[in-house]
PDB file of all heavy atoms in Angstrom:
ATOM      1  N   ILE A 135     -27.737 -13.366 -28.858  1.00 97.00           N
ATOM      2  CA  ILE A 135     -28.570 -14.525 -29.218  1.00 97.00           C
ATOM      3  C   ILE A 135     -27.829 -15.574 -30.075  1.00 97.00           C
ATOM      4  O   ILE A 135     -28.210 -16.721 -30.064  1.00 97.00           O
ATOM      5  CB  ILE A 135     -29.881 -14.110 -29.908  1.00 97.00           C
ATOM      6  CG1 ILE A 135     -29.608 -13.175 -31.098  1.00 97.00           C
ATOM      7  CG2 ILE A 135     -30.847 -13.486 -28.943  1.00 97.00           C
ATOM      8  CD1 ILE A 135     -30.851 -12.967 -31.987  1.00 97.00           C
ATOM      9  N   ASP A 136     -26.774 -15.141 -30.777  1.00 96.00           N
ATOM     10  CA  ASP A 136     -26.130 -16.107 -31.659  1.00 96.00           C
ATOM     11  C   ASP A 136     -24.712 -16.460 -31.237  1.00 96.00           C
ATOM     12  O   ASP A 136     -24.086 -17.351 -31.859  1.00 96.00           O
ATOM     13  CB  ASP A 136     -26.127 -15.546 -33.105  1.00 96.00           C
ATOM     14  CG  ASP A 136     -27.505 -15.578 -33.699  1.00 96.00           C
ATOM     15  OD1 ASP A 136     -28.293 -16.458 -33.347  1.00 96.00           O
ATOM     16  OD2 ASP A 136     -27.811 -14.651 -34.504  1.00 96.00           O
ATOM     17  N   GLY A 137     -24.167 -15.779 -30.274  1.00 96.00           N
ATOM     18  CA  GLY A 137     -22.789 -16.071 -29.826  1.00 96.00           C
ATOM     19  C   GLY A 137     -22.827 -16.567 -28.403  1.00 96.00           C
ATOM     20  O   GLY A 137     -23.875 -16.911 -27.876  1.00 96.00           O
ATOM     21  N   ARG A 138     -21.662 -16.586 -27.782  1.00 96.00           N
ATOM     22  CA  ARG A 138     -21.644 -16.983 -26.381  1.00 96.00           C
ATOM     23  C   ARG A 138     -20.737 -16.058 -25.595  1.00 96.00           C
ATOM     24  O   ARG A 138     -19.624 -16.422 -25.197  1.00 96.00           O
ATOM     25  CB  ARG A 138     -21.150 -18.427 -26.254  1.00 96.00           C
ATOM     26  CG  ARG A 138     -22.150 -19.443 -26.793  1.00 96.00           C
ATOM     27  CD  ARG A 138     -21.933 -20.809 -26.216  1.00 96.00           C
ATOM     28  NE  ARG A 138     -22.035 -20.799 -24.769  1.00 96.00           N
ATOM     29  CZ  ARG A 138     -21.317 -21.571 -23.965  1.00 96.00           C
ATOM     30  NH1 ARG A 138     -20.389 -22.379 -24.434  1.00 96.00           N
ATOM     31  NH2 ARG A 138     -21.483 -21.534 -22.655  1.00 96.00           N
ATOM     32  N   PRO A 139     -21.161 -14.776 -25.442  1.00 98.00           N
ATOM     33  CA  PRO A 139     -20.295 -13.840 -24.741  1.00 98.00           C
ATOM     34  C   PRO A 139     -19.953 -14.303 -23.329  1.00 98.00           C
ATOM     35  O   PRO A 139     -20.801 -14.866 -22.644  1.00 98.00           O
ATOM     36  CB  PRO A 139     -21.111 -12.531 -24.705  1.00 98.00           C
ATOM     37  CG  PRO A 139     -22.513 -12.925 -24.996  1.00 98.00           C
ATOM     38  CD  PRO A 139     -22.456 -14.166 -25.800  1.00 98.00           C
ATOM     39  N   ARG A 140     -18.692 -14.087 -22.967  1.00 98.00           N
ATOM     40  CA  ARG A 140     -18.259 -14.477 -21.589  1.00 98.00           C
ATOM     41  C   ARG A 140     -18.481 -13.277 -20.678  1.00 98.00           C
ATOM     42  O   ARG A 140     -18.028 -12.168 -20.969  1.00 98.00           O
ATOM     43  CB  ARG A 140     -16.756 -14.819 -21.667  1.00 98.00           C
ATOM     44  CG  ARG A 140     -16.458 -16.243 -21.315  1.00 98.00           C
ATOM     45  CD  ARG A 140     -14.968 -16.505 -21.496  1.00 98.00           C
ATOM     46  NE  ARG A 140     -14.182 -16.119 -20.312  1.00 98.00           N
ATOM     47  CZ  ARG A 140     -14.134 -16.766 -19.177  1.00 98.00           C
ATOM     48  NH1 ARG A 140     -14.844 -17.883 -19.016  1.00 98.00           N
ATOM     49  NH2 ARG A 140     -13.364 -16.382 -18.172  1.00 98.00           N
ATOM     50  N   VAL A 141     -19.132 -13.564 -19.553  1.00 98.00           N
ATOM     51  CA  VAL A 141     -19.588 -12.492 -18.663  1.00 98.00           C
ATOM     52  C   VAL A 141     -18.795 -12.511 -17.341  1.00 98.00           C
ATOM     53  O   VAL A 141     -18.609 -13.582 -16.737  1.00 98.00           O
ATOM     54  CB  VAL A 141     -21.109 -12.691 -18.325  1.00 98.00           C
ATOM     55  CG1 VAL A 141     -21.629 -11.601 -17.402  1.00 98.00           C
ATOM     56  CG2 VAL A 141     -21.932 -12.737 -19.614  1.00 98.00           C
ATOM     57  N   LEU A 142     -18.425 -11.332 -16.861  1.00 98.00           N
ATOM     58  CA  LEU A 142     -17.841 -11.190 -15.544  1.00 98.00           C
ATOM     59  C   LEU A 142     -18.659 -10.204 -14.721  1.00 98.00           C
ATOM     60  O   LEU A 142     -18.969  -9.108 -15.192  1.00 98.00           O
ATOM     61  CB  LEU A 142     -16.396 -10.651 -15.626  1.00 98.00           C
ATOM     62  CG  LEU A 142     -15.756 -10.216 -14.266  1.00 98.00           C
ATOM     63  CD1 LEU A 142     -15.481 -11.447 -13.413  1.00 98.00           C
ATOM     64  CD2 LEU A 142     -14.452  -9.439 -14.510  1.00 98.00           C
ATOM     65  N   ASP A 143     -19.038 -10.609 -13.482  1.00 98.00           N
ATOM     66  CA  ASP A 143     -19.573  -9.660 -12.506  1.00 98.00           C
ATOM     67  C   ASP A 143     -18.537  -9.506 -11.386  1.00 98.00           C
ATOM     68  O   ASP A 143     -18.409 -10.387 -10.566  1.00 98.00           O
ATOM     69  CB  ASP A 143     -20.926 -10.115 -11.954  1.00 98.00           C
ATOM     70  CG  ASP A 143     -21.520  -9.063 -10.982  1.00 98.00           C
ATOM     71  OD1 ASP A 143     -20.757  -8.209 -10.507  1.00 98.00           O
ATOM     72  OD2 ASP A 143     -22.717  -9.134 -10.682  1.00 98.00           O
ATOM     73  N   PRO A 144     -17.775  -8.401 -11.420  1.00 98.00           N
ATOM     74  CA  PRO A 144     -16.683  -8.262 -10.466  1.00 98.00           C
ATOM     75  C   PRO A 144     -17.106  -7.933  -9.053  1.00 98.00           C
ATOM     76  O   PRO A 144     -16.237  -7.787  -8.190  1.00 98.00           O
ATOM     77  CB  PRO A 144     -15.829  -7.154 -11.092  1.00 98.00           C
ATOM     78  CG  PRO A 144     -16.814  -6.347 -11.891  1.00 98.00           C
ATOM     79  CD  PRO A 144     -17.877  -7.265 -12.367  1.00 98.00           C
ATOM     80  N   MET A 145     -18.394  -7.736  -8.793  1.00 98.00           N
ATOM     81  CA  MET A 145     -18.905  -7.553  -7.413  1.00 98.00           C
ATOM     82  C   MET A 145     -20.245  -8.312  -7.350  1.00 98.00           C
ATOM     83  O   MET A 145     -21.318  -7.717  -7.262  1.00 98.00           O
ATOM     84  CB  MET A 145     -19.054  -6.056  -7.115  1.00 98.00           C
ATOM     85  CG  MET A 145     -17.695  -5.338  -7.153  1.00 98.00           C
ATOM     86  SD  MET A 145     -17.689  -3.718  -6.401  1.00 98.00           S
ATOM     87  CE  MET A 145     -18.591  -2.812  -7.623  1.00 98.00           C
ATOM     88  N   CYS A 146     -20.139  -9.634  -7.428  1.00 98.00           N
ATOM     89  CA  CYS A 146     -21.291 -10.451  -7.814  1.00 98.00           C
ATOM     90  C   CYS A 146     -22.259 -10.785  -6.688  1.00 98.00           C
ATOM     91  O   CYS A 146     -23.308 -11.356  -6.936  1.00 98.00           O
ATOM     92  CB  CYS A 146     -20.816 -11.725  -8.471  1.00 98.00           C
ATOM     93  SG  CYS A 146     -19.911 -12.822  -7.333  1.00 98.00           S
ATOM     94  N   GLY A 147     -21.929 -10.431  -5.420  1.00 98.00           N
ATOM     95  CA  GLY A 147     -22.805 -10.749  -4.307  1.00 98.00           C
ATOM     96  C   GLY A 147     -23.158 -12.234  -4.312  1.00 98.00           C
ATOM     97  O   GLY A 147     -22.272 -13.088  -4.396  1.00 98.00           O
ATOM     98  N   ARG A 148     -24.437 -12.543  -4.249  1.00 98.00           N
ATOM     99  CA  ARG A 148     -24.861 -13.957  -4.258  1.00 98.00           C
ATOM    100  C   ARG A 148     -25.291 -14.409  -5.637  1.00 98.00           C
ATOM    101  O   ARG A 148     -26.107 -15.299  -5.747  1.00 98.00           O
ATOM    102  CB  ARG A 148     -25.952 -14.167  -3.212  1.00 98.00           C
ATOM    103  CG  ARG A 148     -25.449 -13.779  -1.836  1.00 98.00           C
ATOM    104  CD  ARG A 148     -26.426 -14.157  -0.727  1.00 98.00           C
ATOM    105  NE  ARG A 148     -25.900 -13.633   0.515  1.00 98.00           N
ATOM    106  CZ  ARG A 148     -26.379 -13.940   1.712  1.00 98.00           C
ATOM    107  NH1 ARG A 148     -27.369 -14.784   1.814  1.00 98.00           N
ATOM    108  NH2 ARG A 148     -25.850 -13.410   2.806  1.00 98.00           N
TER     109      ARG A 148
END
Side-chain angles (χ1 to χ4, degrees):
I135 52 169
D136 289 328
R138 290 201 60 215
R140 243 176 84 74
V141 180
L142 170 69
D143 182 342
M145 297 195 288
C146 66
R148 301 189 185 191

